[in-house]
Amino acid sequence: MSNKKPGAYILRIEDSALADKLAKKSKDPSTRKFMQSLLIPRKLKFGKSMFFLDFFHIGSWNLTKDIKREKIQGAIIVKNTSSRPMDPMEMDDEEENPMANLPENYFLDTLTDFVPKTITIAYEHQFDGIETLQFPFIVKDRERSISGVTIGKDIDWEKLDD
């Protein structure tokens, strides 16, 4: 999309630890290189488009708050499997939490309100007003896992050859 519609694109990743994990564990070398080159400056020009990495933390919003809204073409929002940083109510009471007074789903609503196209990636979490896609190749009913391979319930262990 960035080649067809040049402009600004926001990658909102829950926190820097998740961004680092995505960069290290990317299976595709070009994706890994792209993420690694975006981690440090958090801003990357690719073709005629500009990509901004935005961690869901007030300190990182300075980079993206000044982007002209009409230039933003899309956003990808990635929620970590733990709900810790994106749920400001789950932080320790001892810490001063500047995000504690934000409305629920603020990290999502602040982009979906004005960005023309957004993709939200969240494992086993649904948001109101967001269309959910299911992938048929991901087996939900699993009987057991063997060395990282998930075996579906529809497999009959008695009929398998040794």
Side-chain angles (χ1 to χ4, degrees), residues 65-105:
K65 73 175 174 66
D66 294 331
I67 303 170
K68 293 181 182 175
R69 287 187 173 201
E70 61 272 4
K71 289 191 176 205
I72 297 176
Q73 299 297 321
I76 294 178
I77 305 161
V78 183
K79 182 176 181 344
N80 203 339
T81 53
S82 70
S83 59
R84 184 184 86 289
M86 286 193 181
D87 188 354
M89 301 306 164
E90 290 187 10
M91 293 192 78
D92 294 338
D93 291 337
E94 301 161 9
E95 290 183 47
E96 176 94 17
N97 184 3
M99 297 165 48
N101 296 326
L102 297 177
E104 185 179 3
N105 296 334

Side-chain angles (χ1 to χ4, degrees), residues 107-139:
F107 70 96
L108 181 69
D109 296 339
T110 54
L111 291 179
T112 56
D113 284 349
F114 71 92
V115 177
K117 290 195 181 226
T118 61
I119 296 173
T120 304
I121 301 169
Y123 180 72
E124 293 185 350
H125 190 91
Q126 291 186 319
F127 298 101
D128 293 335
I130 302 291
E131 180 182 350
T132 302
L133 296 177
Q134 298 294 331
F135 298 98
F137 55 85
I138 299 175
V139 179

